[in-house]
Amino acid sequence: MSLAAVTGRFQPVHAQHLELFALALAEHDHLVVAVTNPDTGARHAAATSAHRHTDDANPFTYFERARLLAAALAGAGLADRATVVPFDLTRPQLWPEYVPRDAVQYVRAYSAWEADKAGRLADGGYAVVVVDGDPATKLDAATIRAGFRDDSWVSLVPPATVPVLRDLLGRRASRA
C-alpha cells in the first residue's frame, strides 16, 4: 500500500485542503492527514509565519479538527482511504510514530511558511512533493474564522462540515 500525507492545522478544513487530499490520493492508496499544532504545547513561533502559534489562529482543539476532517473526508467520499493523526512539527523525532517514513508528503506552497515546512519534512526523511500554489487564489482560513461572526463562512468550507462547525460554534457561544 502506498501512503501519502498532508500536514496542516486545518483551522478549519476547507476546499483547498480537500483538493490537495484528492491530488495525493490520485497517486497513492491511502492518505494520512496529519494535524499540526495538535495541542497548545506544540505551538511555537516560526520566523516564516507570525501567526501559526497564536490562540486566534488555533481556535479548534485536535478533537474538534478531527471531527471536522472526518466530516469533510466522508462528504468527499475519501473517508475509507484516509486516517487522521496528530503531528507535532516541533518534535521530528516522533514523526514516524504518526506518519510512516515511506509516506510521501504533499505540501502546497503559497508562502515562505509552506516552503519551510516542506524543507523540515524533507530533513526529517520524507519524500516531499511541493505543489505550487498561487497566493492570489489562496483560501485563507483566517478569512473563514473572521466570518464566524455571521454566516459568511458557510460558503467557504466543505458542505459536510457546516453542521459540525455550527455545533462547535454554538457550544462556544453558549459557554461565553
Side-chain angles (χ1 to χ4, degrees), residues 16 107-111 114 130-138:
Q16 288 179 341
V107 178
R108 182 173 287 152
Y110 289 105
S111 69
E114 290 92 2
V130 177
V131 179
D132 289 331
D134 178 1
T137 63
K138 181 181 183 196

Side-chain angles (χ1 to χ4, degrees), residues 1-8 10 17 20-22 24-25 28-36 62 69 73 78-87 95-107 121 126:
M1 173 174 70
S2 67
L3 284 175
V6 173
T7 66
F10 310 109
H17 294 134
L20 191 57
F21 298 166
L25 281 170
H28 300 276
D29 301 316
H30 197 82
L31 172 68
V32 181
V33 180
V35 179
T36 64
Y62 169 79
L69 285 160
L73 290 161
L78 304 174
D80 62 337
R81 297 181 61 203
T83 302
V84 177
V85 300
F87 195 76
W95 292 351
E97 294 187 34
Y98 299 99
V99 179
R101 288 255 195 251
D102 62 340
V104 177
Q105 296 273 358
Y106 282 73
V107 178
L121 294 168
Y126 291 100

Side-chain angles (χ1 to χ4, degrees), residues 41-121:
R43 296 185 202 163
H44 296 281
T48 53
S49 179
H51 74 283
R52 302 188 71 72
H53 66 288
T54 66
D55 288 344
D56 286 345
N58 295 280
F60 300 109
T61 66
Y62 169 79
F63 178 78
E64 292 167 335
R65 288 177 284 162
R67 283 185 61 202
L68 289 164
L69 285 160
L73 290 161
L78 304 174
D80 62 337
R81 297 181 61 203
T83 302
V84 177
V85 300
F87 195 76
D88 183 348
L89 282 173
T90 68
R91 297 170 56 194
Q93 70 277 15
L94 298 180
W95 292 351
E97 294 187 34
Y98 299 99
V99 179
R101 288 255 195 251
D102 62 340
V104 177
Q105 296 273 358
Y106 282 73
V107 178
R108 182 173 287 152
Y110 289 105
S111 69
W113 163 248
E114 290 92 2
D116 180 35
K117 179 171 72 169
R120 291 179 191 204
L121 294 168

